[in-house]
Amino acid sequence: MKLLYTTSKLGIGGRMYQPKRVLQEPGTAVPEKIRSISGANKRRHSSDSESEPEGESSCSEEEKKEEKQEIEKLSSTNVNCAGKPEEDTKKPVVSQQAAPAVSSKPSCKPAVFVPVDRSPEIQEARLKLPILAEEQVIMEAINENPIVVICGETGSGKTTQVPQFLYEAGYTSSNGIIGITEPRRVAAVSMSQRVAKEMNLSHRVVSYQIRYEGNVTDETQIKFMTDGVLLKEVQKDFLLLKYKVIIIDEAHERSMYTDILIGLLSRIVPLREKKGLPLKLIIMSATLRVEDFTENTRLFAVTPPVLQVDARQFPVTVHFNKKTPLDDYSGECFRKVCKIHRMLPSGGILVFLTGQAEVHSLCRRLRKAFPFQKNSTAGDDDDRKESVEEMRKFKKSRRRRKAATLPQINLDNYAVVPVDEGDEDRDAETDDDIAGSDVDLDLGDGDSEEEEKSDSSLPLYVLPLYSLLAPEKQAKVFRPPPPGTRLCVVATNVAETSLTIPGIKYVVDCGKVKKRFYDKITGVSSFRVTWISQASANQRAGRAGRTEPGHCYRLYSSAVFMDFEKFSAPEITKRPVEDLILQMKALNIEKVINFPFPTPPPAEALAAAEELLIALGALKEPPMTGRLKEQQAAKLSCPISPLGRVMATFPVAPRYAKMLALSRQHDCLPYTITIVSAMTVRELFEEFDRPAASEEETVKLKGKKGRLVQMQRIWAGQGSLQKLGDLMVMLGAVGACEYSGCTPKFCEENGLRYKAMLEIRRLRGQLTTAVNSVCTDAGLYVDPKMKPPTEAQATYLRQIVLAGLGDHLARRVQAEELLDDKWKNAYKTALLDDPVFIHPSSVLFKQLPDFVVYQEIVETTKLYMKDRVSWQLPAVEVDYPEGIDRYKYFARFLLEGKVIEKLGSYSQCLLSSPLIMLKTWSKLQPRTEFLLQALVAENCDNRDALLAAWKKNPKYLLAAYCQWIPEVMQEDIAKQWPPVAL
DNA sequence: GAGCACTGC
């Protein structure tokens, strides 16, 4: 325990640290800062690191070979060999004290102190951060351990300060970089800007890199980036040699890339140690739930030490409801906000709901209850200010009277309450931070009728907030509300982590969240509203204590809260993982199942991913020989194919990467790039079906909706372009938008989401670059005046799309198969027994083509297919049936002209549709039987067999075929029979 | 004839 509390001076220049003890007095029971140093890695690697010069590595061929072997070991079963002998890891903690390693063996710790010239204001602000008092402890732990976990909640300053500690301790001298990963782009950008400012350094030194942009230079020493960026870098340089330190921030969020990075780094760190170029790994988490990292011996053979730092947060009093509303949590939110607004002192309110529609309808209700007449220039009106302020004062006095009496007549305040509820009431009293407040902040959870009445004397400034909301509308929540009003933000989960709203004092938490679920077998996704986790609830509550002490009203009982899961499941366990698996295979990790995941994905998900990648040709097919068991084993460890390597370089889902890889032909690349970009970016079109804020808005929304539908019909094109279905709509929309300069005005007028269009533009740019670097002679560029594809190209594009979505083919259920009404207008897919449908928003909704290819199936009221391409003809990829059906299909293709090109010219004149070959009642037409018998007689179920039969007998099939042709044409056909050159 | 939270390359 004590080891890391040593006050010994560190060899980093003249800098002195305050002894820890002083800071932690007065002798209260200081919480353990170091939760676990058992087995902290005490084996010094001095011999390696001292003898070899730092920063220089001559990479001989042998070393490269060794590296490759080590990398391959990642996929071997022997994951425990992280390069440390067993006995060392078991050394008791005491023995470490006996060997004060810090002074005797400096190991990889840089002995430098780099001065930083901070402004006095910054310096002052920094000193208020609790983490600053921990600098010495943190740096000692980092110096002595290759891997350290730091826990500290939001407000601890760990993200901004730890990189500075490392910089000052010389970790960036000798050309090393400190890399920090963030799960979100905004965080990477804003953190880099803040740290640059705090350190008084240029953006050339403290930089960021996100998907489409960055300001990294040769001088960069501290680099903030998104986790995906670092994962891509591992692909180029497995050992991440330019980094001296990697910090994984927000590891508790358990984003997919973060998890993979931690798994990879657990192997990279010992590899770097071995090379004499040690890399430090720092995992930062907001919660103390880090066992998945620390107690996972597959991940880290030696348990890394865990440091805990305090956060500077204001206290938040949590109030539970006594009753948990069964389903109307939205209504309960309304009532709670009304009470807060009427009875409690000023301060912003933040409400958590689950979706756009809910957000808008609550906004509408609240605005109705507390109208706020905004003038043309909302809120900046000084004339009004006074009167509003006066009104407010008046209201305040009235409210006080009310507040003093209301809680006492709360009918829900029974004398007999369950124990915990009683406690909650006490919490509210004792924790009440507003001295002299005369209001009971525990509002109870009763209904009361009067709240529905409109009260314009108490203006509430109500704003919606969700991710898909236009940025300028989102930005409103960051500005102070108009004078005399109270801010009330009704938000989805964005407000939980991604966006922090200033001035929030009250949080209303419905306890629910809308999540996407995937069926592991069928891949069908659905959205469900579930209870949040305890960690989530606490995160939401924390949003009330950013600027002053706050209150959180949970619309569920504490008993229900106790039943919540402690933490939500890591993303990697809940999602299809084909993209990850491809990335890993590209790193030569073949036995993915043995990868040291902090939490592994379910076996079904791994198998499904592997299967899809094999089908796409990204992995080499497993051998079909040998024992079943071996075959099964081989199936889960297929090596990557050359195609797979190309696909892995494209930063999109493997399905789309396959489409790109195929599009060299017929100048389709620019179109495929655009289609893939549009399919990757979510929600191209504005949502107009939501509840409106007012009657006039309802009318406005309707108008916009109509305009969009009209435009979509235009974008859908004509002829074979139309068969590209919804993808043509996307292509047309993007094309039109770019043609007009991609202006916010154009988007606004045509129902396009401006943000989505920008993202598509940037993704097109990135994919174009990626394709150009694979096909060096492609010479592609992003053309803002891209013409629509030609008819022929549109047909190729359909095939290209099908190549990526081959398993997403749905067949229209024919009238004669209509056994049940539920199959009306339905489609059948390979994997699902249930009918699936074309979504009413599709341009193909009324068209009902025989075959469609879909992007995904989402289950709502029915199973709906999203973003379809139409197929009038069955695709060749369809499994060829066995038995008599083989001949039926072959007959059909033959008649359609798919087998023999020349017969195609007659396909329009046929007396019956080739499709009837497949009908159950086909026998009713003699010509079907006749043709079928002729084919069966010669075993003709493929083109080669047909050609062979013609060689034997040139008049073969003529009679049977003529039955399908009008008499006038029969003579002509007979002359040219057989319709091929033999 | 509809109703999708959030995020990264």
Side-chain angles (χ1 to χ4, degrees), chain A residues 327-345:
Chain A
D327 41 47
D328 185 24
Y329 53 83
S330 222
E332 186 66 16
C333 279
F334 174 74
R335 286 184 284 275
K336 194 65 84 179
V337 173
C338 288
K339 280 192 180 173
I340 293 171
H341 186 47
R342 286 172 189 282
M343 298 161 67
L344 301 185

Side-chain angles (χ1 to χ4, degrees), chain A residues 286-300:
Chain A
T287 64
L288 267 172
R289 189 249 207 152
V290 286
E291 304 89 69
D292 286 347
F293 306 138
T294 57
E295 271 150 47
N296 180 342
T297 50
R298 268 174 63 107
L299 187 62
F300 301 126

